[in-house]
Amino acid sequence: MAKDRLSELDGLRAIDILMVIAFHYSARFPEYYPYPASTFPLATHGSLGVQLFFIISGFVIAMTLTSSKYAIDFGVRRISRLWPPMMICSLLTFAIVHMIDNPFTEFRRTSWLGFVPSWTFTTPSLWTWLSRDIDYVDGAYWSLFVEVRFYLWAALLYFLLGARRFPALFALFAGVTWAIRQLLGLIAMPSIAKLWDLLFFSDHIALFCAGVLFYELFCGRRDMWKLAALAACMAVAALSADDGAGAA
C-alpha cells in the first residue's frame, strides 16, 4: 500500500522548482536580463521541469484517487491544495509588479481582470469578452489550466467507470485524444482543433498518462501492457517536447 506522502516525490518537486526558476531567471525573457542566456546554458532546458511536473502530477493524482472514497472528497482535496496558494501568490504578484517600476514589471502588468482566469484556473481566451487584453496575473498559471482539466477527466473516468479499470481507461483515453488531435492537425481543421485543445490537453496528456502508469508500477502491478503503454507515452512526450514553449 502506498504511503500518503513520498519523500522521493518531494525531492523531484524540489528539482522541478529549481529547473523552472533557473529557466525563468536566465532564459525565458532574455531581453530583460543584464546578461546573455548563454551565461547559463543548462538553464535554457529548465522548462523541461514542467514536463517532469506533469508526470509527477499523474502519479500523485492516481495515488490521491485511490485514497478518495467519493468524487466530492477528491474535489475538495484538490481545491484546498490549489486555491489558497493561488490567491496569496497572485495577490502578491499583482501588488509587486504594480509597485515596482522597471521594464519587466511594466511588461508583465495586468489589470485586475487578470484574477478572473487566474482564480478560476481557466484560459484567458474564455474571458476575452471582458477584455481583449485579459491575461493571467502570472503567465506561469497556464499550467494550472492543464492540471485542472486532467483532474476533471481523471475523476470522471475513475468514479464513473471504476477504479480497477482506471489505468487502462486513462491510457486508452490518452491515446485516443492525442491521436484525434494529430489527425485534426493533418486535415487542417483549426476551429475544431481549437475546441479540442480547450476540452482536452493533448500536448501534455502523454506525460500525465506516464505518471499514472508509474504509479501502477510503484504499486507492483507490472503488466506487460502497462510497460508498453508507458514506453509509448515517453516516446510521444519526447517527440512532442517543445523545449521552452509555454513556460511563461
Side-chain angles (χ1 to χ4, degrees):
M1 188 72 175
K3 297 183 289 184
D4 289 336
R5 190 173 186 89
L6 298 172
S7 57
E8 294 87 346
L9 291 182
D10 290 335
L12 285 175
R13 288 190 182 102
I15 294 172
D16 252 351
I17 292 168
L18 292 174
M19 289 174 66
V20 175
I21 287 176
F23 174 72
H24 276 252
Y25 282 91
S26 65
R28 181 63 181 92
F29 302 103
E31 64 272 30
Y32 294 104
Y33 302 138
Y35 43 81
S38 58
T39 307
F40 307 102
L42 286 178
T44 60
H45 305 290
S47 62
L48 294 175
V50 177
Q51 298 179 43
L52 176 58
F53 175 77
F54 287 151
I55 294 176
I56 293 173
S57 182
F59 186 103
V60 170
I61 294 307
M63 183 167 61
T64 303
L65 285 168
T66 60
S67 61
S68 300
K69 192 172 183 180
Y70 303 106
I72 188 67
D73 177 34
F74 172 77
V76 168
R77 290 169 72 176
R78 288 294 91 200
I79 291 172
S80 65
R81 289 292 298 271
L82 290 182
W83 218 344
M86 166 60 80
M87 295 181 71
I88 294 170
C89 292
S90 59
L91 286 168
L92 284 173
T93 299
F94 187 85
I96 289 171
V97 299
H98 281 80
M99 286 191 299
I100 297 176
D101 287 321
N102 63 44
F104 180 75
T105 57
E106 291 175 6
F107 162 69
R108 277 306 311 163
R109 281 176 189 165
T110 62
S111 73
W112 65 270
L113 289 174
F115 289 108
V116 177
S118 299
W119 286 8
T120 57
F121 304 108
T122 55
T123 177
S125 63
L126 290 175
W127 305 97
T128 52
W129 55 275
L130 290 174
S131 170
R132 288 187 301 174
D133 300 323
I134 194 168
D135 197 2
Y136 294 118
V137 172
D138 187 321
Y141 296 162
W142 71 269
S143 63
L144 294 175
F145 178 48
V146 178
E147 283 281 321
V148 167
R149 283 177 292 170
F150 167 57
Y151 299 164
L152 289 173
W153 285 109
L156 282 172
L157 291 173
Y158 186 90
F159 290 106
L160 291 182
L161 300 179
R164 185 170 297 180
R165 290 176 289 180
F166 172 70
L169 288 171
F170 192 81
L172 179 62
F173 170 79
V176 170
T177 54
W178 180 83
I180 291 176
R181 181 60 182 87
Q182 306 314 302
L183 179 61
L184 291 173
L186 288 173
I187 60 179
M189 300 182 69
S191 58
I192 298 178
K194 185 176 180 180
L195 177 60
W196 195 261
D197 290 337
L198 191 62
L199 291 173
F200 304 105
F201 39 99
S202 304
D203 288 346
H204 311 286
I205 197 166
L207 298 166
F208 290 108
C209 187
V212 170
L213 294 170
F214 274 126
Y215 178 71
E216 287 294 299
L217 300 183
F218 171 77
C219 292
R221 299 187 282 267
R222 295 179 175 86
D223 302 314
M224 283 303 298
W225 77 262
K226 292 174 184 173
L227 294 173
L230 178 57
C233 286
M234 299 307 291
V236 167
L239 290 172
S240 59
D242 188 358
D243 196 13

